[in-house]
């Protein structure tokens, strides 16, 4: 069997087009990602996810979503309740550490209840970025706290809650987006902190969670390590920091290829992501011409990337069989008591 290609692709709308089905079938993306445009109602999402997996002939193909809570929650009421932001959970933690950690675990467990019913098996959570005063609001209240030790502790609770429900987490944005003074969706942030500062602050949550199976890169230049290339395409950052200092040996996917922090055509960006050492190219917007450019530059999974992808595929479970109503009641009770 020909291996899947090292890419995760989006779709343009609520149902696959004939061109999308043909592209997926011919080019075999390893996984898919959903956005709000793809999520109209529950049965439609289930049908869309099933069609994606059918196109690649893999019933357990990873289907990702950014369902953090707060302003980054792709599926919203009335389908799924509105959840608090990471900073909201962090506020509860500041009042009562145990309650904050429990609420973080419970919210992730609820994400798993919500998403597994729809066929979605990967949540791009937790956000392990540690913001600094004055940083861009692109992270902002998506971060749990300004203290890296607290971010690490809450991030672990969030990841464990997802895994208890049978889902897998994706840590983001490795090795840290918290110092970015610009929004990488629009321009390239440049971080000038020393390596010692980064190791003492930004990298700490990722080191603490290095044994998770998946992470997403940061489109940020760290001048102390590589003054020219953002982490996503920097072999130096990926080898020295992500694989070396942090010690992460899981599947590393790029942040979105179409974000304007990256320069060049979409095809050039995909080629540089592959060349820099990321395992997977992530392309989110579902624009067919862009996807065609990505697939031309993306190779089948092989070597360490294939090993890491297989470890992910082997880690999906049915979940712990917990009582959803009881979990939801406990979560609302903790939030109501805050």
């Amino acid at each position: 069997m020909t291996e899947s290609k090292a890419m995760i692709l989006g779709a343009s709308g609520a149902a696959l087009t004939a061109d999308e089905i043909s592209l997926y079938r011919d080019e075999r993306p390893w996984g898919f990602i959903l956005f709000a445009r793809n999520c109209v109602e529950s049965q439609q999402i289930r049908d869309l996810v099933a069609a994606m997996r059918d196109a690649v002939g893999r019933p357990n193909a990873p289907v990702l979503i950014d369902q953090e809570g707060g302003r980054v929650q792709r599926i919203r009421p009335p389908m799924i309740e509105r959840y608090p932001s990471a900073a909201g959970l962090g506020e509860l933690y500041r009042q009562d550490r145990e309650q904050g950690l429990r609420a973080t675990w419970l919210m992730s467990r609820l994400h798993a209840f919500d998403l597994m019913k729809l066929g979605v098996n990967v949540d791009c959570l937790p956000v392990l970025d540690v913001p600094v005063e004055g940083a861009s609001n692109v992270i902002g209240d998506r971060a749990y706290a300004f203290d890296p030790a607290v971010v690490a502790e809450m991030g672990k609770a969030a990841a464990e809650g997802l895994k208890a429900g049978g889902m897998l987490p994706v840590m983001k944005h490795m090795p840290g987006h918290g110092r970015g003074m610009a929004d990488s969706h629009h321009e390239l942030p440049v971080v000038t902190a020393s390596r010692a500062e980064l190791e003492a602050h930004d990298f700490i949550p990722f080191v603490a969670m290095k044994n998770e199976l998946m992470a997403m890169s940061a489109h940020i230049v760290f001048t102390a390590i590589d003054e020219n290339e953002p982490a996503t395409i920097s072999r130096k950052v990926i080898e020295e920091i992500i694989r070396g200092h942090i010690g992460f040996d899981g599947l590393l996917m790029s942040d979105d290829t179409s974000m304007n922090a990256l320069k060049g055509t979409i095809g050039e960006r995909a080629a540089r992501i592959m060349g820099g050492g990321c395992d997977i190219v992530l392309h989110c917007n579902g624009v067919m011409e862009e996807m065609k450019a990505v697939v031309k530059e993306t190779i089948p999974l092989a070597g360490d990337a294939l090993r890491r992808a297989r470890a992910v595929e082997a880690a999906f479970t049915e979940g712990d069989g917990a009582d959803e109503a009881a979990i939801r009641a406990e979560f609302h009770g903790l939030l109501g008591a805050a």
Side-chain angles (χ1 to χ4, degrees), residues 8-13 17 19-20 23-24 33 35 37-38 52 256 258 283-292:
I8 293 168
L9 299 179
S12 58
T17 66
D19 284 349
E20 286 168 345
L23 181 82
Y24 298 162
I33 189 164
F35 279 75
R37 67 179 180 273
N38 308 120
M52 287 171 159
D256 185 10
S258 59
H283 184 269
C284 296
N285 66 20
V287 173
M288 180 56 66
E289 290 311 307
E290 291 192 10
M291 291 196 290
K292 286 179 178 176

Coordinates of all heavy atoms in Angstrom, one line a residue, residues 8-13 17 19-20 23-24 33 35 37-38 52 256 258 283-292:
I8 N -1.9 17.6 6.0 CA -3.3 17.7 6.5 C -4.0 18.8 5.7 O -3.5 19.9 5.6 CB -3.3 18.0 8.0 CG1 -2.7 16.8 8.8 CG2 -4.7 18.3 8.5 CD1 -2.4 17.2 10.2
L9 N -5.1 18.5 5.1 CA -5.8 19.4 4.2 C -7.2 19.8 4.8 O -7.8 19.0 5.5 CB -6.0 18.8 2.8 CG -4.7 18.5 2.1 CD1 -5.1 17.9 0.7 CD2 -3.8 19.7 1.9
G10 N -7.7 20.9 4.4 CA -9.0 21.4 4.7 C -10.0 21.1 3.6 O -9.6 20.5 2.6
A11 N -11.2 21.6 3.7 CA -12.2 21.5 2.7 C -12.9 22.9 2.6 O -13.0 23.6 3.6 CB -13.2 20.4 3.0
S12 N -13.5 23.1 1.4 CA -14.1 24.5 1.2 C -15.4 24.7 1.8 O -15.7 25.9 2.1 CB -14.2 24.7 -0.3 OG -15.1 23.7 -0.9
G13 N -16.2 23.7 2.1 CA -17.5 24.0 2.6 C -18.1 22.8 3.4 O -17.4 22.0 4.0
T17 N -16.7 18.6 -2.5 CA -17.0 18.8 -4.0 C -16.4 17.6 -4.7 O -15.5 16.8 -4.1 CB -16.3 20.0 -4.5 OG1 -14.9 19.9 -4.4 CG2 -16.8 21.3 -3.8
D19 N -14.2 17.7 -7.0 CA -12.8 17.9 -7.2 C -12.1 17.6 -5.9 O -10.9 17.1 -5.9 CB -12.6 19.4 -7.5 CG -12.9 19.7 -9.0 OD1 -13.1 18.7 -9.8 OD2 -12.9 20.9 -9.4
E20 N -12.7 17.9 -4.7 CA -12.0 17.6 -3.4 C -11.9 16.1 -3.3 O -10.8 15.6 -2.9 CB -12.8 18.2 -2.3 CG -12.6 19.7 -2.2 CD -13.5 20.4 -1.3 OE1 -14.6 19.8 -0.9 OE2 -13.3 21.6 -0.9
L23 N -9.1 14.9 -5.5 CA -7.8 15.3 -5.0 C -7.4 14.4 -3.8 O -6.3 13.9 -3.7 CB -7.8 16.7 -4.6 CG -6.5 17.3 -4.0 CD1 -5.5 17.6 -5.2 CD2 -6.7 18.5 -3.1
Y24 N -8.3 14.2 -2.8 CA -8.0 13.4 -1.7 C -7.7 12.0 -2.1 O -6.8 11.3 -1.5 CB -9.2 13.4 -0.7 CG -9.6 14.7 -0.1 CD1 -10.9 14.8 0.5 CD2 -8.8 15.8 -0.1 CE1 -11.3 16.0 1.1 CE2 -9.2 17.0 0.5 CZ -10.4 17.1 1.1 OH -10.8 18.3 1.6
I33 N -8.6 18.8 8.4 CA -8.9 19.8 9.5 C -10.2 20.5 9.1 O -10.5 20.8 8.0 CB -7.8 20.8 9.7 CG1 -8.0 21.6 11.0 CG2 -7.5 21.6 8.5 CD1 -6.8 22.3 11.5
F35 N -13.0 23.7 9.9 CA -13.2 25.0 10.4 C -14.7 25.3 10.5 O -15.5 24.5 10.1 CB -12.5 26.0 9.5 CG -11.0 26.1 9.8 CD1 -10.1 25.1 9.4 CD2 -10.5 27.2 10.5 CE1 -8.8 25.2 9.7 CE2 -9.2 27.3 10.8 CZ -8.3 26.3 10.4
R37 N -16.6 27.0 8.7 CA -17.3 27.0 7.4 C -17.7 25.5 7.1 O -18.6 25.3 6.3 CB -16.4 27.5 6.3 CG -15.2 26.6 6.0 CD -14.3 27.1 4.9 NE -13.2 26.2 4.7 CZ -12.0 26.3 5.4 NH1 -11.9 27.3 6.2 NH2 -11.1 25.4 5.2
N38 N -17.1 24.6 7.7 CA -17.4 23.2 7.4 C -18.5 22.6 8.4 O -18.8 21.4 8.3 CB -16.1 22.3 7.6 CG -15.0 22.8 6.8 OD1 -13.9 23.1 7.3 ND2 -15.1 22.9 5.5
M52 N -14.6 12.4 4.0 CA -13.2 12.6 3.9 C -12.5 11.3 4.1 O -11.5 10.9 3.4 CB -12.8 13.6 5.1 CG -13.2 15.0 4.8 SD -13.0 16.1 6.3 CE -12.9 17.7 5.5
D256 N -0.5 26.7 9.9 CA -1.2 26.8 8.5 C -0.2 27.4 7.5 O 0.4 28.5 7.7 CB -2.4 27.6 8.6 CG -3.2 27.7 7.4 OD1 -2.9 26.9 6.4 OD2 -4.2 28.5 7.3
S258 N -0.9 28.8 4.7 CA -1.4 30.0 4.1 C -1.3 31.2 4.9 O -1.7 32.3 4.5 CB -2.9 29.8 3.6 OG -3.7 29.5 4.7
H283 N -2.4 22.6 5.7 CA -3.0 23.6 4.9 C -4.5 23.6 5.2 O -5.2 22.6 5.0 CB -2.8 23.3 3.4 CG -3.3 24.4 2.5 ND1 -4.6 24.4 2.0 CD2 -2.8 25.6 2.1 CE1 -4.8 25.5 1.3 NE2 -3.7 26.3 1.4
C284 N -5.0 24.8 5.5 CA -6.3 24.8 6.2 C -7.5 25.4 5.4 O -8.7 25.0 5.6 CB -6.3 25.7 7.5 SG -5.2 25.0 8.7
N285 N -7.3 26.3 4.4 CA -8.4 27.1 3.9 C -9.3 26.4 2.9 O -10.3 26.9 2.5 CB -7.9 28.5 3.4 CG -7.0 28.4 2.2 OD1 -7.0 27.4 1.5 ND2 -6.2 29.4 2.0
G286 N -8.8 25.2 2.4 CA -9.7 24.5 1.4 C -9.7 25.1 0.0 O -10.5 24.6 -0.8
V287 N -8.9 26.0 -0.3 CA -8.8 26.6 -1.6 C -8.1 25.6 -2.6 O -7.0 25.3 -2.4 CB -8.1 28.0 -1.6 CG1 -7.9 28.5 -3.0 CG2 -8.8 29.0 -0.7
M288 N -8.8 25.2 -3.6 CA -8.4 24.1 -4.4 C -7.0 24.4 -5.1 O -6.1 23.5 -5.1 CB -9.4 23.8 -5.5 CG -9.0 22.6 -6.4 SD -8.6 21.1 -5.6 CE -10.2 20.6 -4.9
E289 N -6.8 25.6 -5.6 CA -5.6 25.9 -6.3 C -4.4 25.8 -5.3 O -3.3 25.4 -5.7 CB -5.6 27.2 -7.0 CG -6.5 27.2 -8.2 CD -6.3 26.1 -9.2 OE1 -5.1 25.9 -9.6 OE2 -7.2 25.3 -9.5
E290 N -4.6 26.3 -4.1 CA -3.6 26.2 -3.1 C -3.3 24.8 -2.7 O -2.1 24.4 -2.5 CB -3.9 27.0 -1.9 CG -4.0 28.5 -2.1 CD -4.1 29.3 -0.8 OE1 -3.9 28.7 0.3 OE2 -4.3 30.5 -0.9
M291 N -4.3 24.0 -2.5 CA -4.1 22.5 -2.2 C -3.4 21.8 -3.3 O -2.5 21.0 -3.0 CB -5.5 21.9 -1.9 CG -6.1 22.3 -0.6 SD -7.5 21.3 0.0 CE -8.7 21.5 -1.2
K292 N -3.7 22.1 -4.5 CA -2.9 21.5 -5.6 C -1.5 21.9 -5.6 O -0.6 21.0 -5.9 CB -3.5 21.9 -7.0 CG -4.9 21.3 -7.3 CD -5.4 21.8 -8.6 CE -6.7 21.1 -9.0 NZ -7.3 21.6 -10.3

